[in-house]
Amino acid sequence: MPALPLIVNILEILFLMAAFASGISVATLIGISKHDFEGDCILYSDVIWTSPTYFQIEPQGVAKCSYCMGLQGIAVIVAFLYATYRAIVLVTNRFDMPIMRIIAAPVYATFAFLILIQASLVTMGIIYFCWDLQSEPTYANTKCGMFQDVEWQYYDGTRFYDVLKSAEGASWASCGCWIILIVIAIVHCCVKKREGAEPAS
C-alpha cells in the first residue's frame, strides 16, 4: 500500500478509536450523574430556593440525558465495528469494498451533526442548572463547582459538577473526532481518485 493511503487509513482507525473512547466516556459519565440523582437528569433542571440555605430540584432533562446516552451508545458501536473493519483491510490488504467508502463520509457527517447537538445540550444544560443554583442572592457569586460542598436533599450532589464537566469535555472531543473523520474520508476519496487517474506503469 502506498505511503499516503497507508497514513490516511491509520489516522482513520485512530480517530475511530478516539470516537469510541470518548463516546463510552460520555455515556458512562451521564449514567453516573443519573445514578447520583436517583435516575433523574439534572441537565436543564429547575432549582427552587425555599430559603437562603435550602433548595429543591425539579428534574427537567430526562429525555435529554437519554438522547446523550443513546446517541453515544450507537456511535460507539459504529466506531468500533468500522475501526475493526478498517484494521482488517489494512492488515490483509483485502475486503476493501468501495461501497463502504461511499457511505463513510455521510455517516461521519451525520454523527458529527447529531453529536454537535448532544454536546451543545450538555453545555447549555450545565449552564442553565448552574444559573438556577446561583439565583439565590446569597450564592450569586459562588462558583458552580462549590455547590458540590453544600448539603443536598434527596440526591448525592458531591460530584455533580466534576462529572458533568467531564461529560461535556468528552462530548466535544467526540464531536471533534467525527468532524476530523469527515475530512479523512474526503481525503481518502481524493487519494483514490488520483490513483485511479494515474496511468498504469
Side-chain angles (χ1 to χ4, degrees):
M1 183 179 289
L4 184 55
L6 177 62
I7 293 171
V8 172
N9 275 288
I10 292 173
L11 285 174
E12 185 173 30
I13 294 169
L14 290 175
F15 277 101
L16 281 166
M17 294 312 298
F20 171 80
S22 56
I24 287 180
S25 297
V26 174
T28 301
L29 289 164
I30 296 293
I32 290 172
S33 177
K34 289 190 66 178
H35 175 268
D36 289 347
F37 283 81
E38 305 297 329
D40 291 328
C41 179
I42 60 171
L43 296 176
Y44 297 92
S45 291
D46 294 325
V47 178
I48 301 172
W49 286 90
T50 55
S51 75
T53 58
Y54 180 80
F55 63 87
Q56 294 178 322
I57 297 174
E58 291 188 354
Q60 303 290 336
V62 176
K64 296 178 178 65
C65 278
S66 297
Y67 172 78
C68 294
M69 295 174 68
L71 174 62
Q72 287 291 355
I74 296 170
V76 161
I77 294 171
V78 171
F80 177 78
L81 291 178
Y82 197 58
T84 302
Y85 165 71
R86 293 311 314 171
I88 292 171
V89 171
L90 182 64
V91 171
T92 65
N93 203 25
R94 298 169 59 194
F95 313 115
D96 193 2
M97 296 178 285
I99 186 64
M100 299 300 288
R101 279 298 174 194
I102 294 172
I103 66 174
V107 169
Y108 292 161
T110 299
F111 276 112
F113 175 72
L114 293 176
I115 292 174
L116 174 64
I117 295 173
Q118 179 263 305
S120 299
L121 284 175
V122 174
T123 296
M124 296 308 299
I126 295 171
I127 291 172
Y128 182 93
F129 184 63
C130 287
W131 278 349
D132 258 19
L133 284 173
Q134 295 164 330
S135 63
E136 167 58 41
T138 306
Y139 299 101
N141 296 318
T142 302
K143 292 183 178 180
C144 193
M146 298 300 292
F147 285 95
Q148 295 179 133
D149 300 325
V150 305
E151 183 178 350
W152 291 70
Q153 301 293 327
Y154 310 117
Y155 297 124
D156 178 10
T158 55
R159 55 179 178 177
F160 86 93
Y161 188 75
D162 292 340
V163 169
L164 287 180
K165 290 300 286 184
S166 297
E168 179 188 23
S171 296
W172 287 110
S174 175
C175 183
C177 287
W178 289 103
I179 291 173
I180 292 172
L181 283 166
I182 298 171
V183 177
I184 290 174
I186 293 171
V187 169
H188 193 281
C189 288
C190 292
V191 169
K192 284 292 186 182
K193 185 177 180 180
R194 189 181 70 177
E195 286 180 348
E198 291 178 352
S201 54

